[in-house]
């Protein structure tokens, strides 16, 4: 017998919010793991120096950190769902640009844009989660989905580097 959303204690809309915010969190976390694992391959394939490898990591982290509050403010001003979708689209497009980067400069630039997308996605996703669940269940749902976001990290990042 199939359970309905109310029997699981969650509506269909809440399930979508939880799924999308979990996927966005996975994308951001997995991206950091993949790049860290791929640094030796990036060095060889793109003939990058140590400083350029550092910028490959730092461009993402800096743009994410600097734009995090701006991303949250954009969600408040222009709508959370709209900005979440924009952040997800920007992050995905920048990920494709990273994969297609012909040189290390292009990769660093794409990583900075990727960080900007993550800076919109993360705070707005948490705001959507806060709005979608009552306070007593909000973080329990988010925390319960956390192992699903964390587990694939190391194994998938290594296999992506070997196949690329």
């Amino acid at each position: 017998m199939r359970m309905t959303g109310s029997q699981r204690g969650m509506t269909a809309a809440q399930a979508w919010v939880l799924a999308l915010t979990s996927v966005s969190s996975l994308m951001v976390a997995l991206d950091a793991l993949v790049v860290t694992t791929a640094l030796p391959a990036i060095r060889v394939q793109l003939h990058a120096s140590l400083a350029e490898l550092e910028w490959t990591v730092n461009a993402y982290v800096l743009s994410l950190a600097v734009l995090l509050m701006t991303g949250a403010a954009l969600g408040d001003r222009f709508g959370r769902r709209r900005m979440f979708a924009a952040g997800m689209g920007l992050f995905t497009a920048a990920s494709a640009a990273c994969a297609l980067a012909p040189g290390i400069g292009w990769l660093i630039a794409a990583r900075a844009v990727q960080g900007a997308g993550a800076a919109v996605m993360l705070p707005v996703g948490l705001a959507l989660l806060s709005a979608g669940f009552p306070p007593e269940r909000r973080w329990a749902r988010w925390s319960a989905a956390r192992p699903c976001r964390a587990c694939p990290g190391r194994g998938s990042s290594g296999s992506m580097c070997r196949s690329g």
Side-chain angles (χ1 to χ4, degrees):
M1 181 171 153
R2 187 174 170 156
M3 293 173 59
T4 65
S6 60
Q7 290 170 325
R8 287 189 311 258
M10 192 172 8
T11 66
Q14 288 174 324
W16 273 107
V17 167
L18 183 61
L20 289 173
T21 55
S22 293
V23 165
S24 69
S25 177
L26 172 68
M27 288 168 59
V28 171
L30 188 61
D31 180 69
L33 289 172
V34 168
V35 170
T36 302
T37 306
L39 286 174
I42 293 170
R43 182 182 57 79
V44 171
Q45 295 293 319
L46 299 179
H47 310 289
S49 68
L50 180 60
E52 290 168 328
L53 291 176
E54 289 173 349
W55 273 109
T56 301
V57 173
N58 291 340
Y60 175 80
V61 174
L62 284 172
S63 63
L64 171 62
V66 168
L67 297 173
L68 203 57
M69 295 302 287
T70 303
L74 288 171
D76 290 341
R77 176 165 289 206
F78 297 111
R80 293 176 184 146
R81 287 187 347 194
R82 177 181 296 151
M83 292 312 299
F84 182 80
M88 180 90 66
L90 183 62
F91 186 90
T92 304
S95 295
C98 287
L100 299 172
I104 192 70
W106 286 100
L107 178 62
I108 292 168
R111 292 279 295 156
V113 173
Q114 206 176 29
V120 174
M121 229 176 13
L122 285 179
V124 174
L126 289 174
L128 286 170
L129 187 73
S130 293
F133 289 92
E136 65 273 4
R137 293 186 20 222
R138 166 179 318 151
W139 302 118
R141 298 285 185 185
W142 178 252
S143 298
R146 186 177 178 119
C148 299
R149 296 188 306 264
C151 289
R154 289 287 178 197
S156 61
S157 61
S159 65
M160 287 179 194
C161 292
R162 282 191 290 275
S163 67

